[in-house]
């Protein structure tokens, strides 16, 4: 059964954050979004442990701590390393894809140019994780 998710969205582009939130509103998905502008801010949120996200969705290209650096820190933390992390990026660089999977991501999603395609990808991704057994435990 699908459930509501606590999602940590790590994205430095305000337009991308608005677009992601608009998709959830349009699709009537009742997920809680915790926003962080960069990896450093996300780590501070995670260390508070006030809300532990069910999934983390992050961009690769961010200031201060980029996506790969953030993932390396996250995966070295015994408590946080099991949170599924999904890359949502414009980078289709094969080296980036392979590095992220080597670190231990749960998915790599390219941001398509057409808004309708973006809606479709976000919907499928969140429907999957809403029904995933790892999340329901």
């Amino acid at each position: 059964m699908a459930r509501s998710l606590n999602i940590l969205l790590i994205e430095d582009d305000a337009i991308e954050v608005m677009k992601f939130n608009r998709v959830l509103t349009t699709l009537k998905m009742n997920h809680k979004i915790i926003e962080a502008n960069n990896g450093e801010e996300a780590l501070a949120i995670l260390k508070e442990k006030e809300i532990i996200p069910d999934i983390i969705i992050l961009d690769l290209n961010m200031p201060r701590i980029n996506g790969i650096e953030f993932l390396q820190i996250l995966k070295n933390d015994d408590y946080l390393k099991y949170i599924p992390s999904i890359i949502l990026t414009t980078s289709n660089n094969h080296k980036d894809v392979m590095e992220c999977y080597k670190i231990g991501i749960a998915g790599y999603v390219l941001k398509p140019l057409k808004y309708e395609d973006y809606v479709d990808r976000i919907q499928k991704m969140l429907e999957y994780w809403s029904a995933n057994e790892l999340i329901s435990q």
Side-chain angles (χ1 to χ4, degrees):
M1 182 170 149
R3 63 189 276 284
S4 181
L5 299 171
N6 287 323
I7 301 169
L8 175 57
L9 176 63
I10 311 170
E11 172 63 67
D12 65 314
D13 185 335
I15 292 171
E16 289 294 328
V17 173
M18 288 179 0
K19 185 167 71 170
F20 188 87
N21 283 311
R22 183 174 357 137
V23 169
L24 296 187
T25 301
T26 301
L27 296 173
K28 296 179 175 49
M29 293 183 151
N30 194 24
H31 301 300
K32 178 174 175 40
I33 305 298
I34 305 133
E35 297 174 10
N37 292 315
N38 57 59
E40 198 173 80
E41 193 177 304
L43 289 170
I45 290 168
L46 290 167
K47 285 187 193 286
E48 287 176 12
K49 296 182 180 160
E50 190 174 308
I51 296 176
I52 299 300
D54 296 307
I55 62 171
I56 297 171
I57 299 174
L58 70 148
D59 191 12
L60 279 183
N61 304 310
M62 296 181 292
R64 297 190 186 159
I65 297 176
N66 69 33
I68 290 175
E69 293 166 331
F70 170 82
L71 288 168
Q72 289 168 334
I73 294 166
L74 183 78
K75 296 303 179 182
N76 282 317
D77 184 295
D78 288 336
Y79 184 72
L80 302 173
K81 68 182 176 184
Y82 298 107
I83 300 171
S85 303
I86 300 108
I87 304 296
L88 180 61
T89 188
T90 56
S91 173
N92 64 354
N93 182 322
H94 184 70
K95 183 179 172 223
D96 286 342
V97 175
M98 296 311 294
E99 181 66 23
C100 289
Y101 275 108
K102 187 172 109 181
I103 293 169
I105 61 165
Y108 196 102
V109 178
L110 287 175
K111 296 175 187 172
L113 294 175
K114 290 177 59 181
Y115 181 72
E116 297 78 23
D117 295 337
Y118 180 84
V119 170
D120 184 58
R121 288 188 188 176
I122 298 302
Q123 180 178 15
K124 286 175 179 164
M125 176 177 60
L126 295 180
E127 284 175 348
Y128 170 78
W129 286 106
S130 295
N132 190 284
E133 288 303 312
L134 175 66
I135 303 300
S136 64
Q137 297 301 317

